[in-house]
Amino acid sequence: MRDDHHITRNAVHRYQVVKVEDKDGENYLDLKGFEGHEPTKVLHIQPHGFVSVPVKDAHLICVHLGHQYDLMVALGGEHSEKKPKKLGEGNSAFYNADGSIMKMIKKDVSLEHEGDYSHKAKNSKTTIKEKHEIEAKTFKIKCGDVTLTMDKNGINVEGGEIKHNGKKIDNAHVHINSGGVGLGGPPQ
């Protein structure tokens, strides 16, 4: 008979989050589990490069190391009402409890949120390499008191001034209609 008394056995159980403490880059959880088992200050272990803070009532798995309940760590975590629904087989999403979501559906990536979007790069500079296309029914850029709007009817600039090669274009420039006849401004 094999002597295996030295082998450490681990127990795995499902728990519900009662309280979350996000402190010094770590998550410590108070949990509710089987038969009234309610451990406190359980360390939430996360994969390298990913950080999340579980919400109250989320469910997760805890591993009791060496089958000892005072040596346990929490893994994963999800809340059935907060996670995205109907993603489809093979698709993924990164989401938070407030409804912001980044979906990877087939070959497309979609970012959906209600708040502000910011992209921070070194020296506050964003560079777009290769080909970049923006498709929208209306595209609007606002900078100070100047607004540039593009839509199916063309381009409209409101406020400020327009320059070409350093020379100001004012209301004396010639407007051309689709037939090529000048509609205003000095003759050329």
Side-chain angles (χ1 to χ4, degrees), residues 42-116:
V42 176
L43 179 63
H44 181 221
I45 301 292
Q46 301 176 54
H48 175 75
F50 178 80
V51 176
S52 71
V53 181
V55 295
K56 186 178 181 212
D57 296 328
H59 289 261
L60 42 74
I61 299 294
C62 286
V63 177
H64 305 268
L65 303 172
H67 206 51
Q68 297 180 37
Y69 293 101
D70 59 339
L71 293 175
M72 65 186 281
V73 292
L75 305 173
E78 70 174 15
H79 193 291
S80 63
E81 294 174 14
K82 308 267 184 202
K83 69 180 185 177
K85 310 285 191 285
K86 300 180 181 178
L87 286 176
E89 185 177 340
N91 297 317
S92 302
F94 176 72
Y95 66 99
N96 69 9
D98 296 323
S100 295
I101 181 170
M102 182 170 54
K103 297 179 189 176
M104 290 158 281
I105 307 295
K106 299 187 182 192
K107 294 182 180 181
D108 296 329
V109 175
S110 164
L111 177 62
E112 300 170 19
H113 58 91
E114 292 183 14
D116 293 335

Side-chain angles (χ1 to χ4, degrees), residues 21-172:
E21 182 181 349
D22 186 27
K23 180 180 176 185
D24 298 328
E26 301 287 355
N27 296 186
Y28 295 95
L29 311 174
D30 290 357
L31 305 168
K32 181 169 68 173
F34 59 96
E35 298 175 358
H37 188 238
E38 296 183 3
T40 59
K41 305 244 185 266
V42 176
L43 179 63
H44 181 221
I45 301 292
Q46 301 176 54
H48 175 75
F50 178 80
V51 176
S52 71
V53 181
V55 295
K56 186 178 181 212
D57 296 328
H59 289 261
L60 42 74
I61 299 294
C62 286
V63 177
H64 305 268
L65 303 172
H67 206 51
Q68 297 180 37
Y69 293 101
D70 59 339
L71 293 175
M72 65 186 281
V73 292
L75 305 173
E78 70 174 15
H79 193 291
S80 63
E81 294 174 14
K82 308 267 184 202
K83 69 180 185 177
K85 310 285 191 285
K86 300 180 181 178
L87 286 176
E89 185 177 340
N91 297 317
S92 302
F94 176 72
Y95 66 99
N96 69 9
D98 296 323
S100 295
I101 181 170
M102 182 170 54
K103 297 179 189 176
M104 290 158 281
I105 307 295
K106 299 187 182 192
K107 294 182 180 181
D108 296 329
V109 175
S110 164
L111 177 62
E112 300 170 19
H113 58 91
E114 292 183 14
D116 293 335
Y117 171 79
S118 64
H119 177 91
K120 295 180 181 177
K122 188 175 182 177
N123 300 322
S124 298
K125 182 179 180 181
T126 301
T127 302
I128 299 172
K129 296 181 179 180
E130 303 296 323
K131 183 178 179 183
H132 186 78
E133 294 179 12
I134 299 173
E135 186 175 323
K137 289 184 179 182
T138 301
F139 186 75
K140 186 181 279 190
I141 300 172
K142 184 169 178 137
C143 185
D145 293 332
V146 178
T147 303
L148 174 101
T149 305
M150 292 181 276
D151 61 23
K152 66 179 183 176
N153 299 315
I155 299 172
N156 184 42
V157 179
E158 297 176 32
E161 60 184 42
I162 300 174
K163 292 183 178 180
H164 180 252
N165 292 335
K167 295 182 181 177
K168 182 178 175 182
I169 300 173
D170 61 18
N171 60 359

